[in-house]
Amino acid sequence: MLGLSARLAYLQLAISDELKVRAEAQQAVRPTPRTSRRQIVDRQGNVVAMDRVVYTLYVHPILFKESNLAIAQALSTVLDQDVKKLSTQFASQESGIQLNDDISEETAKRLRDLRLDGLDLLPSPRRMYPQSELFSQVTGYIDLEGEPRAGVELEMRSQ
């Protein structure tokens, strides 16, 4: 107990100024939002790579103004998921349950039109490759952090 008290006193009295500066530096770092990238097209004008907005759905059962079952029934029609599975997920924790991370804009609109409390839709850009593997060796790819890793995506990253 004496050792813990001595350590606490050292942290609070001797080096508190240094720790405060370090904490402020950590909190001052702002993540840069990912910017959208231009389309990549072939000679015939076919889109090879493009950005699209997808949404991640989080639910917060603690904020529901209706029962978990009523919310699960409303969401199941839009998300094509089982009511019982959704209800079980809602009972598992009070807040911050991620239901889906690849929701299209039209599905997001349908979710907003439900006007349910406790739903949180977070937009994020995602790179889409309509030609799939056809041009994959030339096009390259964007990783999960939004950084280009190969091909034309890497060569044209600053443009």
Side-chain angles (χ1 to χ4, degrees):
M1 192 69 159
L2 184 62
L4 288 175
S5 297
R7 179 70 176 163
L8 180 62
Y10 172 72
L11 291 173
Q12 290 291 323
L13 302 173
I15 62 168
S16 64
D17 292 334
E18 178 188 337
L19 293 176
K20 184 177 180 182
V21 169
R22 287 175 56 189
E24 287 172 352
Q26 288 176 350
Q27 294 168 2
V29 175
R30 301 271 187 243
T32 56
R34 189 171 3 157
T35 59
S36 64
R37 297 174 58 87
R38 289 194 243 167
Q39 289 183 347
I40 298 174
V41 295
D42 65 7
R43 286 192 307 188
Q44 285 80 31
N46 299 320
V47 177
V48 177
M50 61 188 253
D51 276 355
R52 71 177 177 131
V53 176
V54 294
Y55 294 85
T56 302
L57 175 63
Y58 290 95
V59 294
H60 310 282
I62 197 168
L63 301 175
F64 290 167
K65 293 195 174 159
E66 298 178 33
S67 70
N68 285 359
L69 185 59
I71 300 290
Q73 288 172 341
L75 291 178
S76 71
T77 59
V78 177
L79 298 175
D80 293 328
Q81 291 186 7
D82 183 46
V83 175
K84 196 172 213 170
K85 180 183 171 197
L86 290 173
S87 222
T88 304
Q89 284 181 306
F90 297 163
S92 68
Q93 65 187 76
E94 291 183 344
S95 186
I97 302 168
Q98 181 180 342
L99 285 187
N100 199 333
D101 65 350
D102 191 21
I103 295 176
S104 66
E105 290 192 59
E106 51 272 358
T107 304
K109 183 185 181 321
R110 289 176 54 202
L111 287 168
R112 282 191 203 100
D113 290 344
L114 293 174
R115 298 193 184 280
L116 297 172
D117 291 318
L119 302 183
D120 197 9
L121 283 167
L122 299 176
S124 63
R126 184 148 317 149
R127 201 68 168 161
M128 187 175 108
Y129 302 96
Q131 304 296 328
S132 190
E133 296 177 7
L134 185 61
F135 294 110
S136 63
Q137 299 297 317
V138 175
T139 306
Y141 68 97
I142 302 284
D143 65 12
L144 294 175
E145 285 81 36
E147 293 295 319
R149 293 294 174 200
V152 175
E153 293 282 12
L154 181 61
E155 290 299 317
M156 302 305 236
R157 75 173 143 203
S158 63
Q159 298 177 356

